Amino acid sequence: METKDRPVRTRFAPSPTGYMHIGNLRTALYGYLFAKKEGGKFVLRLEDTDAKRYVADAVQIIYDTLRDAGIAYDEGPDVGGPCGPYVQSERAAIYKQYAEELVRRGGAYYCFCDKERLESLKDENGVGRYDKHCLRLSEEEVREKLAAGVPYVIRQNVPETGSGSYEDLVYGTVTVDFKDIEDGVLLKSDGMPTYNFANVVDDHLMGITHVIRGSEYLSSTPKYNLMYDAFGWERPQYVHLPPIMKNAHEKLSKRNGDASYQDLVEKGYVREAIVNYIALLGWSPKDNREKMTLRELEESFSLAGINKSPAIFDEPKLRWLSGEYIKEMDDEEFARRARPFLQQSKAYGKYDEAKLLRLLKTRVEIFSEIPAKIDFLEEYGPIDPALYFNKKMKSDAEVAETVLPLAEECLKKVETFENAAVYAALVALAQERGMKNGQVLWCVRIALTGRENTPGGASEMAELLGRERTLARLQEALSQLQKA
C-alpha cells in the first residue's frame, strides 16, 4: 500500500519516561509490522521535550526493549538516517522556524499573556480556556512586544466555528467541532515545542505516511490536520488503535503500576510469547492463529485485522502461550534461558542440572516458576501421614508402612539408578506383591519429597536424588510413620 505514490514510512515516537509499557510496545510493534509488510521503513524518534517527565536511562531502556523484542528500526538516534536528528531536543531551531512560518500563514499567533492573566481565565474548578486575546493584537503591537523582549508563546489559531473531519483506517470518518478545541500552545516560552506541534513538523519532515497511535488521539487529530493544511502539507493516513484494558472497566496504565515489557520478562515470560501476545491485543490474522513468530507476524499483519473494540490483557492466556514456546525449545535453548531462574533455587548446585532441567521443561509456563517447583528438594522435613492417603491410588499411611521397606530393599538392587530402571523395579515390586502400581509409586514419591505435587513421579525423583539420598529418605519416612 502507498499513500499517493509515497513509499510507506511509519514511526514510533516514545517519550523517555521509564519502562516500555504494553500499549507503547504494541504501537511500536504495529508500526514495525505494517512497514515490513508493505516494504517500507520504520523510524524511531525520541520525543524528549518535556524535561519534567524525563527519566534517566529511559532512552537506553527504549533501545534495549525494542532490540530485545526483535523490533528493528531502519532509522533512529543510534542508527542514523537521512531525516535526523531523531531526538526532538536537538531540533529546537527547526521548530522555531516552522512555528514562525505558521504565524505568517495565519495558523498560529504570538501570545504574550502572563501567568496571572491565564490564571484569571480559570473557573472555580481550575478549568480554563484561552480566549484568543492576543490574536486581536495589531501587527505593530506584536512587533513592539517582540522587540522589547516580552516573553511569549506561540499558540495555534483554531477556527471558532465549523468542524474538522478525517478518515481513520480503523474507526472510519471522525468529525470534531472546532469549538471543542482550544488554541493550544505550540512553542513554549523556552523555545521548545509542545508534543502537538513537534510531532506534526517531524512527521512531515521525516516523510511519515501512516501515523499509528492510541485511540485517545482520535479527537485531537483535527487540530493536527489544521496545521498540515495551513502549511500546505499532505496529511498522513491515520491508524488509531483500541485501548488495552486490564478488565472491563479499567485501562491498562503504567500510571496504575500495570506491567511493562520488562516486568513480564523479569517474571520469566518467554520474550517471543510476549511479542506474539501483544500483537493479538487488538489485531487478529485472517486464519485466527494464536501462536505466531515475529517473522510470521510480519507476513500476516494487515490494518484490516485491527479491531475497534478494546482489548483485554489476559495474563493466563499469556502464560499459556509462554508455555507453548517453552515446550518447543530444544534442550540447549531451554537451559540457557532457564539457568538464571534455576540459580535462584535452593536446589541449585546440589543436583544434576541437566536432570533438573529435563524435569522442568514440560512443567513450567514461565521461567520464574522454576524455584518454587524444585525448592522442596532442599526443604525435606517431617511428612504429614495424611499425605499418603490417595483414594484413587488406594493408598494411605498403613499401605505406606508396608510399601516403604519393600521399596528400600528393591531399590538397593537396581544396577543403573536411572528413571527407567527405577520405574521398572517399582512396578515389578507392585506386581510381585499383588498391589496396584499407583500404591507403590505414590507412597514412594511422598516419602522422597514430602509433597503431593512434584515436577515428576517417584522414579524421576529417585533418579534426581540419587541412590544414597533416596534410600536415606525412604528410611527416614518409614521411621516417621512408625513413630506416628
Side-chain angles (χ1 to χ4, degrees):
M1 179 188 291
E2 293 186 338
T3 302
K4 297 185 181 178
D5 301 322
R6 289 196 292 163
V8 166
R9 285 174 63 84
T10 62
R11 49 79 164 170
F12 176 51
S15 298
T17 57
Y19 286 110
M20 184 84 72
H21 284 260
I22 301 305
N24 279 346
L25 189 59
R26 183 187 64 173
T27 299
L29 179 61
Y30 284 9
Y32 166 82
L33 293 175
F34 181 63
K36 287 294 176 185
K37 181 69 180 293
E38 301 298 332
K41 299 291 185 183
F42 176 59
V43 178
L44 173 65
R45 183 174 75 229
L46 297 179
E47 301 195 338
D48 65 341
T49 57
D50 190 344
K52 292 179 181 177
R53 297 180 64 224
Y54 181 85
V55 175
D57 300 326
V59 171
Q60 192 60 48
I61 289 171
I62 292 169
Y63 295 155
D64 291 346
T65 300
L66 293 177
R67 188 178 301 112
D68 194 62
I71 301 174
Y73 39 95
D74 300 289
E75 302 170 27
D78 57 334
V79 299
C83 300
Y86 294 90
V87 180
Q88 285 187 339
S89 59
E90 298 172 13
R91 297 170 63 84
I94 296 172
Y95 304 128
K96 188 172 190 299
Q97 170 194 339
Y98 280 97
E100 291 171 349
E101 173 66 17
L102 193 60
V103 171
R104 286 192 289 273
R105 289 173 174 268
Y109 56 94
Y110 292 99
C111 174
F112 303 93
C113 293
D114 57 24
K115 184 178 179 181
E116 287 70 28
R117 184 173 191 282
L118 295 177
E119 287 291 330
S120 73
L121 299 176
K122 294 181 180 180
D123 61 21
E124 63 274 10
N125 298 315
V127 178
R129 180 185 176 92
Y130 191 65
D131 59 0
K132 289 182 175 286
H133 172 77
C134 289
L135 178 63
R136 294 186 283 274
L137 295 176
S138 67
E139 288 187 22
E140 184 179 353
E141 287 175 300
V142 170
R143 282 197 299 270
E144 287 176 356
K145 288 180 180 294
L146 291 174
V150 177
Y152 68 88
V153 299
I154 292 180
R155 288 184 180 274
Q156 184 174 11
N157 183 16
V158 179
E160 294 183 84
T161 59
S163 62
S165 293
Y166 67 98
E167 289 297 313
D168 182 79
L169 296 182
V170 175
Y171 288 86
T173 303
V174 179
T175 301
V176 178
D177 289 336
F178 289 140
K179 65 180 176 57
D180 295 326
I181 302 175
E182 186 180 8
D183 285 6
V185 173
L186 303 181
L187 198 73
K188 295 178 282 189
S189 58
D190 62 2
M192 295 303 288
T194 58
Y195 166 85
N196 295 326
F197 184 59
N199 89 76
V200 167
V201 172
D202 288 344
D203 283 346
H204 171 72
L205 296 180
M206 294 181 184
I208 302 304
T209 60
H210 293 75
V211 172
I212 301 175
R213 60 190 177 202
S215 59
E216 64 269 24
Y217 292 103
L218 274 168
S219 62
S220 58
T221 294
K223 68 183 175 187
Y224 307 140
N225 287 337
L226 284 171
M227 288 183 262
Y228 280 105
D229 296 347
F231 279 120
W233 294 342
E234 183 178 342
R235 298 178 183 181
Q237 297 262 35
Y238 293 106
V239 182
H240 287 94
L241 308 177
I244 302 176
M245 311 291 285
K246 64 190 301 182
N247 54 48
H249 308 289
E250 297 176 277
K251 282 186 180 181
L252 205 66
S253 167
K254 66 180 182 181
R255 290 182 182 177
N256 295 333
D258 292 320
S260 67
Y261 172 82
Q262 192 59 37
D263 290 333
L264 295 173
V265 169
E266 289 174 1
K267 282 184 180 180
Y269 287 94
V270 176
R271 290 165 167 79
E272 293 86 344
I274 301 171
V275 174
N276 185 164
Y277 183 65
I278 287 173
L280 300 175
L281 289 173
W283 172 82
S284 56
K286 290 181 180 178
D287 56 10
N288 291 317
R289 274 181 296 167
E290 292 189 310
K291 186 176 180 297
M292 304 174 73
T293 66
L294 187 59
R295 300 288 85 82
E296 289 170 332
L297 287 169
E298 290 173 14
E299 294 167 4
S300 302
F301 188 80
S302 71
L303 298 181
I306 298 176
N307 307 308
K308 293 181 185 179
S309 303
I312 303 290
F313 185 82
D314 181 0
E315 195 158 346
K317 185 171 182 179
L318 174 57
R319 286 179 69 97
W320 167 80
L321 197 55
S322 182
E324 293 300 297
Y325 275 86
I326 286 176
K327 288 173 189 172
E328 291 187 2
M329 290 179 187
D330 60 37
D331 290 345
E332 185 177 342
E333 178 68 5
F334 177 72
R336 183 182 69 80
R337 299 199 192 198
R339 192 166 288 117
F341 296 89
L342 184 62
Q343 290 170 346
Q344 298 170 25
S345 168
K346 297 173 183 177
Y348 179 70
K350 299 174 183 177
Y351 299 86
D352 184 286
E353 183 178 289
K355 291 178 180 178
L356 273 176
L357 292 170
R358 191 162 60 245
L359 278 175
L360 290 164
K361 185 179 175 186
T362 58
R363 295 176 171 95
V364 296
E365 293 180 313
I366 59 176
F367 291 111
S368 59
E369 294 176 315
I370 287 174
K373 292 278 187 185
I374 57 175
D375 276 350
F376 72 89
L377 290 166
E378 289 302 296
E379 295 170 348
Y380 187 76
I383 300 172
D384 182 351
L387 285 177
Y388 291 104
F389 176 78
N390 186 308
K391 187 175 181 180
K392 182 179 178 182
M393 302 294 182
K394 299 188 182 304
S395 172
D396 56 26
E398 187 175 334
V399 171
E401 275 200 76
T402 301
V403 167
L404 298 186
L406 295 173
E408 182 187 348
E409 290 305 311
C410 168
L411 295 183
K412 283 179 182 178
K413 300 171 187 174
V414 174
E415 291 186 14
T416 306
F417 209 78
E418 294 179 351
N419 178 29
V422 171
Y423 181 81
L426 293 174
V427 168
L429 172 64
Q431 291 173 352
E432 288 169 14
R433 296 290 173 166
M435 305 178 77
K436 289 183 174 291
N437 293 349
Q439 288 179 300
V440 173
L441 295 170
W442 178 265
C443 291
V444 170
R445 185 161 70 87
I446 295 298
L448 295 183
T449 66
R451 300 296 167 93
E452 191 172 356
N453 298 303
T454 58
S459 55
E460 290 172 298
M461 294 294 98
E463 179 185 10
L464 186 61
L465 289 164
R467 190 192 306 270
E468 184 179 334
R469 275 187 286 200
T470 293
L471 297 177
R473 289 193 178 190
L474 288 172
Q475 292 169 9
E476 171 63 23
L478 179 60
S479 175
Q480 290 180 26
L481 275 174
Q482 291 170 338
K483 293 176 182 176

